[in-house]
Amino acid sequence: SKEVKQKISLFCNIDERSVVQAPDAQTIYQVPLHFQQEWLDEIIVRKLNLKSTAQALAQWEEKVVRKILTPSKCVRIAFVGKYITLQDAYKSVYEALLHAGIENDTRVEIEKIDSEKVTKENCKELFSQVHGILIPGGFGNRGIEGKIRAITYARENKIPYFGLCLGMQVAVIEFARNVCGMSQANSTEFNKRTPYPVISLLAEQQGVTYKGATMRLGAYPCTIKPGTRSSAAYGRLNMSERHRHRYEFNMKFRKKLEAQGFVIAGVSPNRKLVEMIEIKDHPWFVAVQFHPEFKSRPEHAHPLFREFIFAALTHQG
């Protein structure tokens, strides 16, 4: 109330016009609207002696906030990770899914599933009622077999699948094992003695014992294969995405996998590194070595997240 603001102004020795309230919001994206109603933007501009034109947030309210609060559709996405008990571990991926929901006028309900608890017997129970399956990045052997089982279910039951970083690597392992007959295929991160190292360190890193500063980290360019779902999503054949990983797709197994319907949808400009994979004869199966969630924004969802949610809607329908 005005009286409370006057009291705060008096006892805190500040201008009454600089006392603003921050009410609880249904979504963090409402906060700019609340602060503008309290004239916080005008207060800051005045305090810093800046010249600025008035900013209208009507478009933000209509195209972002309204679609979050009152979407016309809803999908359920199974989020299979090993750190799901940590609230902020996958925060950027959760937000990217929300952004994709905004562009599709859809509420995205995330079913958080601990990959260590996924078994061959409970896959149907866990995934039969979801419209898409996503596996995010991560490190280490814990929960890997559960992720592979989830991918098998997505591939065999034609459920849209999206893999990020480790989510791409385990998709390669799953395909090699269950489609190409390499039952012991693995990543050398998890099994250094695997006879089928479909994911491994690059040749120049094989003898490196000190791992400091050896990750592929930051933005790298990618060339997309025409006619793929990835190229349709991006609308172009060249782009750049951010990375954070050390292990890579082993090109020695490329021909064996491609012979069975495996699609290498994106590579580095020198064609030595695989950045994106897909599977033929599947409604939407895309996995990437990079982290597209880092470039997603509420008013402009990342194209791969946008198309993943659209595929989930199509699967639901």
Side-chain angles (χ1 to χ4, degrees), residues 36 39 41-42 51-57:
Q36 189 183 51
W39 303 97
D41 50 352
E42 296 287 347
K51 292 183 179 180
S52 175
T53 57
Q55 297 298 310
L57 291 181

Side-chain angles (χ1 to χ4, degrees), residues 182-215:
M182 295 180 273
S183 61
Q184 298 182 61
N186 215 326
S187 165
T188 54
E189 179 184 4
F190 314 135
N191 180 3
K192 290 182 171 56
R193 297 183 179 180
T194 173
Y196 305 108
V198 292
I199 302 294
S200 66
L201 291 173
L202 297 176
E204 56 266 31
Q205 291 189 344
Q206 295 289 346
V208 176
T209 55
Y210 179 68
K211 301 297 185 182
T214 60
M215 277 190 172

Side-chain angles (χ1 to χ4, degrees), residues 5-241:
K5 287 190 175 185
Q6 288 174 340
K7 185 174 182 180
I8 293 174
S9 169
L10 176 63
F11 283 90
C12 295
N13 195 30
I14 60 172
D15 182 1
E16 183 184 339
R17 293 175 298 176
S18 295
V19 181
V20 302
Q21 59 182 339
D24 290 343
Q26 291 178 265
T27 168
I28 194 173
Y29 298 113
Q30 277 184 299
V31 172
L33 300 175
H34 288 169
F35 280 152
Q36 189 183 51
Q37 290 169 2
E38 292 288 300
W39 303 97
L40 179 59
D41 50 352
E42 296 287 347
I43 294 168
I44 293 172
V45 167
R46 186 176 67 250
K47 291 287 185 183
L48 297 179
N49 293 317
L50 299 176
K51 292 183 179 180
S52 175
T53 57
Q55 297 298 310
L57 291 181
Q59 191 173 25
W60 174 269
E61 184 173 15
E62 176 66 19
K63 293 189 174 182
V64 176
V65 176
R66 185 193 64 78
K67 289 188 177 180
I68 292 176
L69 298 180
T70 57
S72 63
K73 300 175 286 271
C74 179
V75 294
R76 288 187 300 277
I77 301 298
F79 194 104
V80 187
K82 61 172 81 174
Y83 315 123
I84 58 171
T85 57
L86 304 175
Q87 181 178 344
D88 293 333
Y90 301 114
K91 181 63 173 175
S92 56
V93 186
Y94 296 152
E95 290 302 301
L97 286 169
L98 175 66
H99 303 161
I102 293 171
E103 288 212 16
N104 284 283
D105 195 19
T106 300
R107 174 178 289 108
V108 179
E109 295 181 351
I110 299 175
E111 302 280 347
K112 298 179 182 179
I113 297 173
D114 187 340
S115 60
E116 289 188 276
K117 298 180 180 179
V118 179
T119 65
K120 186 176 181 180
E121 292 72 28
N122 68 7
C123 272
K124 184 175 181 179
E125 177 187 350
L126 292 173
F127 304 121
S128 62
Q129 299 301 313
V130 302
H131 310 120
I133 297 175
L134 184 147
I135 293 184
F139 294 88
N141 190 48
R142 181 169 64 87
I144 292 300
E145 294 304 318
K147 294 186 178 190
I148 291 173
R149 294 185 190 102
I151 296 169
T152 301
Y153 192 89
R155 180 178 55 78
E156 292 180 346
N157 291 278
K158 308 297 185 182
I159 299 174
Y161 173 76
F162 193 18
L164 311 177
C165 198
L166 180 62
M168 186 195 100
Q169 296 176 3
V170 289
V172 172
I173 295 169
E174 192 280 331
F175 194 88
R177 286 183 184 180
N178 299 320
V179 179
C180 301
M182 295 180 273
S183 61
Q184 298 182 61
N186 215 326
S187 165
T188 54
E189 179 184 4
F190 314 135
N191 180 3
K192 290 182 171 56
R193 297 183 179 180
T194 173
Y196 305 108
V198 292
I199 302 294
S200 66
L201 291 173
L202 297 176
E204 56 266 31
Q205 291 189 344
Q206 295 289 346
V208 176
T209 55
Y210 179 68
K211 301 297 185 182
T214 60
M215 277 190 172
R216 188 147 70 101
L217 187 64
Y220 284 84
C222 173
T223 302
I224 307 175
K225 183 177 181 179
T228 58
R229 294 179 181 85
S230 301
S231 65
Y234 278 97
R236 60 184 190 274
L237 299 181
N238 294 284
M239 53 76 175
S240 175
E241 293 284 1

Side-chain angles (χ1 to χ4, degrees), residues 254-262:
R254 177 174 184 167
K255 290 184 178 179
K256 289 185 178 180
L257 270 65
E258 287 183 325
Q260 299 298 323
F262 190 84

